Amino acid sequence: MRTIRLLATSLLVALSMGVSSCGDDNISNNGTDDNTINEYYTMLYGSWYREVNNELSKTFMSYKFSTNKQVIRYTKTAERTKGFINGNISYSDWEVVNEYSTYGLWYLEKVEGTDLIRLKIQWDGNDFYSGKLINYLDGNILSFDDGFSNDLNKGDKSPNF
């Protein structure tokens, strides 16, 4: 009987040590989160552009994300007017109304409690980072909520106006 009690006590001690050692492990998804962030960084590096054209305006916008966390945003907008001459529709020449570059610093962050990644940019002259959720990113397409409906395409392109 004494032997059985000793075996039972030893078994209980061994089980409780195993359960308590499992409880002390710090299980987190940081490795997975870091991998996801690193994949996004790798895909985001480089040049991206979009063109938004309609009958009376053209807008070209590009972003260049560097590995040293600097970003350049270039924007160019042109407009024209529509009129009638002798009952026929005519258009004025395109006139550039806006052309500028903006510089800043950028980084990515995981939105806590979600699978979402946020692009954070601090434009020169601002003390704060603006955040934009990345809706979609692969090697060719970047979509984030910046007020435009068009996605950005990977590549180094210049405006055609």
Side-chain angles (χ1 to χ4, degrees), residues 85-104:
I85 298 178
N86 297 328
N88 296 319
I89 296 174
S90 67
Y91 296 95
S92 66
D93 291 335
W94 289 103
E95 181 182 335
V96 174
V97 295
N98 200 354
E99 184 174 21
Y100 63 93
S101 294
T102 309
Y103 302 86

Side-chain angles (χ1 to χ4, degrees), residues 16-155:
S16 65
M17 286 177 64
V19 169
S20 69
S21 70
C22 289
D24 290 333
D25 287 346
N26 215 353
I27 300 171
S28 71
N29 294 327
N30 286 344
T32 305
D33 290 351
D34 289 344
N35 289 340
T36 301
I37 291 284
N38 289 336
E39 287 175 25
Y40 271 63
Y41 272 116
T42 300
M43 286 190 284
L44 199 54
Y45 293 137
S47 298
W48 298 85
Y49 71 92
R50 77 159 57 97
E51 295 173 300
V52 181
N53 300 321
N54 64 43
E55 183 182 21
L56 300 176
S57 70
K58 295 180 179 185
T59 299
F60 177 88
M61 183 180 290
S62 68
Y63 290 84
K64 292 184 182 184
F65 296 97
S66 68
T67 57
N68 66 358
K69 303 299 184 266
Q70 295 197 4
V71 60
I72 301 170
R73 178 180 60 194
Y74 170 75
T75 304
K76 184 176 183 180
T77 304
E79 295 176 348
R80 68 180 179 177
T81 59
K82 179 179 178 179
F84 291 92
I85 298 178
N86 297 328
N88 296 319
I89 296 174
S90 67
Y91 296 95
S92 66
D93 291 335
W94 289 103
E95 181 182 335
V96 174
V97 295
N98 200 354
E99 184 174 21
Y100 63 93
S101 294
T102 309
Y103 302 86
L105 300 173
W106 69 281
Y107 71 94
L108 298 173
E109 70 178 6
K110 183 129 170 64
V111 178
E112 194 169 324
T114 71
D115 291 332
L116 301 174
I117 304 292
R118 181 177 288 125
L119 169 63
K120 301 283 282 194
I121 300 175
Q122 181 185 25
W123 298 111
D124 284 355
N126 291 321
D127 293 334
F128 62 92
Y129 280 85
S130 61
K132 301 170 186 326
L133 285 177
I134 295 178
N135 300 321
Y136 181 79
L137 174 63
D138 67 17
N140 299 309
I141 302 289
L142 168 61
S143 174
F144 58 86
D145 63 352
D146 66 343
F148 288 88
S149 59
N150 294 43
D151 295 336
L152 289 123
N153 298 297
K154 185 83 174 207

